[in-house]
């Protein structure tokens, strides 16, 4: 997949500086915003902890997205053909996150309040709604890739940054600086350039109606993905208002549970489950490889999802989407290694543009960090 904060900057800056000043003044009340472009400034430990979390989640997102994409391609190359199975594995690996939830569980008892029953009802509703949206989004992506050339599909997927900018503006009070705008433009053009170069064979003989359907579904999937990121950010900021990694894992686990159940229902309702045994026996790399491909695809998707949700939590939905888009031109490098794809000049240029865009955004974080630290020192 899905950054914010104004994220980096702009109008959100004065509000965030006020929050820093309140904390320095000795207020025991934590910040109400769970996403911030600048790290906490009240102690060196929290400062470096923030950066560590950002780097760790970037690694999870890029590594998970790259691995899941390559494994997904391997699945289709070896004879896999189930759209609902492809949708199912995108969320079915969520049980492995219970291990991380145990390791990172919050030791604070702050969460226990008199309104716990109301909170539980509210969070259950949020998990169900987001889970169903995620399942629909995954299915739209599956159908879009089926009915569109890879080039067209990639171009439309790149539009998710533009959609995210719109949703972030209305839902997350997103503000853009010149550096953030530059980053979004470069990453969008990078993905678009990659898409144009990857496939020029047209619609592969599909009917015009299916082509239009694929176009609409992929565009809808890109918009929906961006909406999901912004809605998660709103949930962290306005509903949960807690800053622990276990909150991130809970969000991923329970929305994935709902999406997995929905995908499983779709797999049986569509009748595709009847073809899975034959698909496994006909799999080019063998039956064991078929099973392991699906298992590791599911695990990779969960690693990527933790990175996505983690970056929304620690930074913003826009930043999460920027990193997700950054991974698009990185994947061809691994495709060259594992699938012997051709690495031409256009792909190299696309990769360099993506790196440039990422550095642009990273520099904005550095500028915000430096400004916040100066503010902290002056207040003290």
């Amino acid at each position: 997949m899905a950054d914010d904060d104004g994220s980096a900057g702009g109008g959100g800056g004065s509000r965030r500086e006020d929050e820093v000043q309140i904390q320095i003044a000795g207020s025991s009340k934590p910040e109400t915003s769970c996403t911030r472009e600048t790290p906490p400034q009240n102690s060196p430990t929290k400062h470096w902890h923030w950066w560590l979390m950002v780097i760790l989640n970037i690694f999870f997102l890029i590594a998970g997205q790259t691995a899941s994409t390559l494994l997904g391609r391997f699945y289709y190359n070896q004879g896999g053909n189930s759209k609902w199975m492809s949708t199912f594995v995108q969320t079915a690996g969520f049980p492995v996150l219970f291990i991380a939830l145990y390791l990172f569980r919050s030791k604070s008892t702050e969460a226990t309040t008199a309104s716990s029953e109301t909170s539980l009802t509210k969070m259950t509703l949020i998990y169900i709604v987001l889970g169903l949206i995620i399942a629909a989004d995954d299915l739209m992506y599956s159908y879009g890739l089926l009915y569109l050339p890879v080039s067209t599909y990639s171009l439309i997927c790149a539009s998710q940054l533009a959609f995210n900018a719109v949703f972030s503006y209305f839902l997350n009070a997103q503000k853009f600086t010149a550096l953030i705008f530059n980053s979004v433009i470069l990453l969008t053009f990078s993905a678009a350039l990659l898409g144009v170069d990857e496939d020029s064979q047209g619609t592969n003989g599909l009917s015009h109606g299916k082509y239009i359907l694929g176009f609409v579904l992929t565009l809808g999937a890109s918009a929906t993905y961006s909406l999901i990121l912004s809605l998660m950010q709103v949930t962290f900021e306005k509903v949960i208002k807690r800053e622990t990694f276990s909150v991130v894992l809970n969000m991923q686990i329970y929305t994935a549970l709902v999406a997995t159940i929905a995908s499983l229902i779709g797999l049986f309702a569509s009748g595709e489950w009847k073809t899975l045994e034959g698909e496994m026996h006909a799999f080019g790399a063998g039956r064991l490889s078929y099973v392991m491909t699906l298992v590791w695809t599911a695990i990779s998707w969960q690693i990527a999802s933790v990175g996505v949700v983690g970056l929304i939590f620690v930074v913003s939905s826009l930043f999460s989407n920027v990193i997700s888009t950054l991974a698009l031109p990185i994947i061809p490098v691994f495709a060259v290694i594992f699938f012997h794809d051709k690495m031409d000049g256009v792909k190299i240029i696309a990769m360099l543009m993506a790196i440039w865009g990422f550095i642009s955004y990273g520099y904005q974080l550095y500028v915000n960090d430096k400004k916040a630290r100066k503010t902290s020192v002056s207040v003290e």
Side-chain angles (χ1 to χ4, degrees):
M1 61 76 193
D3 299 73
D4 149 297
D5 219 358
S7 156
S14 61
R15 176 171 63 84
R16 302 201 186 286
E17 289 173 15
D18 291 341
E19 290 170 354
V20 172
Q21 293 173 3
I22 290 173
Q23 283 196 320
I24 294 174
S27 171
S28 61
K29 183 178 180 179
E31 295 177 70
T32 58
S33 174
C34 291
T35 57
R36 47 182 174 270
E37 292 289 346
T38 58
Q41 300 300 321
N42 54 329
S43 76
T45 300
K46 287 188 176 181
H47 174 267
W48 287 109
H49 178 264
W50 186 88
W51 278 104
L52 177 63
M53 291 298 292
V54 170
I55 294 171
L56 186 63
N57 281 296
I58 288 175
F59 173 77
F60 283 161
L61 174 52
I62 293 180
Q65 183 170 306
T66 301
S68 60
T69 301
L70 293 175
L71 287 169
R73 177 174 174 179
F74 181 77
Y75 168 76
Y76 286 116
N77 283 355
Q78 297 298 313
N81 195 42
S82 172
K83 297 177 292 297
W84 275 107
M85 177 56 71
S86 178
T87 302
F88 174 76
V89 297
Q90 292 184 49
T91 54
F94 74 88
V96 302
L97 298 181
F98 282 108
I99 299 174
L101 183 62
Y102 175 78
L103 295 176
F104 292 97
R105 68 189 185 280
S106 176
K107 296 179 174 61
S108 172
T109 59
E110 254 179 70
T112 305
T113 64
S115 60
S116 58
E117 290 185 6
T118 303
S119 297
L120 178 60
T121 301
K122 184 183 296 183
M123 289 309 304
T124 299
L125 180 60
I126 290 174
Y127 291 147
I128 291 175
V129 171
L130 285 178
L132 292 176
I133 295 175
I134 289 171
D137 189 50
D138 292 342
L139 184 60
M140 284 192 288
Y141 273 127
S142 297
Y143 271 96
L145 187 57
L146 175 66
Y147 291 146
L148 291 177
V150 175
S151 59
T152 305
Y153 176 82
S154 299
L155 280 167
I156 300 172
C157 286
S159 67
Q160 68 189 38
L161 273 178
F163 283 118
N164 193 220
V166 174
F167 288 125
S168 294
Y169 178 81
F170 288 104
L171 298 178
N172 311 125
Q174 172 71 51
K175 302 297 181 181
F176 290 97
T177 65
L179 286 172
I180 297 302
F181 183 75
N182 179 63
S183 175
V184 171
I185 293 298
L186 285 171
L187 286 166
T188 300
F189 282 172
S190 172
L193 185 62
L194 178 64
V196 170
D197 181 61
E198 263 198 328
D199 191 352
S200 59
Q201 296 103 312
T203 60
N204 299 320
L206 290 175
S207 68
H208 182 69
K210 288 186 176 181
Y211 178 84
I212 295 299
L213 178 60
F215 183 92
V216 172
L217 289 176
T218 305
L219 190 65
S222 297
T224 303
Y225 176 74
S226 298
L227 176 62
I228 290 169
L229 296 185
S230 290
L231 289 176
M232 284 184 174
Q233 182 174 331
V234 169
T235 301
F236 287 136
E237 290 182 337
K238 307 298 183 183
V239 180
I240 300 176
K241 299 179 182 179
R242 293 174 58 206
E243 301 184 18
T244 63
F245 198 62
S246 61
V247 169
V248 176
L249 292 174
N250 276 323
M251 172 67 74
Q252 177 57 26
I253 287 172
Y254 294 115
T255 57
L257 171 62
V258 174
T260 299
I261 293 173
S263 300
L264 195 61
I265 292 173
L267 180 64
F268 281 92
S270 67
E272 283 190 2
W273 67 275
K274 299 176 182 178
T275 67
L276 295 182
E277 184 177 358
E279 186 176 276
M280 180 175 65
H281 287 286
F283 199 67
R287 287 177 290 181
L288 178 60
S289 179
Y290 176 83
V291 174
M292 295 308 297
T293 296
L294 294 178
V295 169
W296 283 107
T297 299
I299 293 175
S300 297
W301 274 117
Q302 290 310 301
I303 293 174
S305 296
V306 168
V308 168
V309 180
L311 287 177
I312 296 172
F313 175 78
V314 178
V315 187
S316 66
S317 63
L318 180 59
F319 185 72
S320 180
N321 212 339
V322 167
I323 299 302
S324 180
T325 307
L326 170 68
L328 290 175
I330 292 178
I331 293 173
V333 175
F334 292 93
V336 169
I337 298 173
F338 296 109
F339 301 110
H340 308 293
D341 283 6
K342 180 182 178 181
M343 175 60 77
D344 56 22
V346 175
K347 289 182 180 179
I348 293 175
I349 292 173
M351 188 164 50
L352 292 176
M353 288 179 67
I355 294 173
W356 182 9
F358 174 70
I359 291 175
S360 179
Y361 201 104
Y363 183 71
Q364 180 66 68
L365 285 179
Y366 168 77
V367 171
N368 291 347
D369 181 20
K370 187 175 181 180
K371 181 179 179 181
R373 296 179 112 194
K374 286 183 178 179
T375 301
S376 176
V377 171
S378 64
V379 171
E380 290 175 349

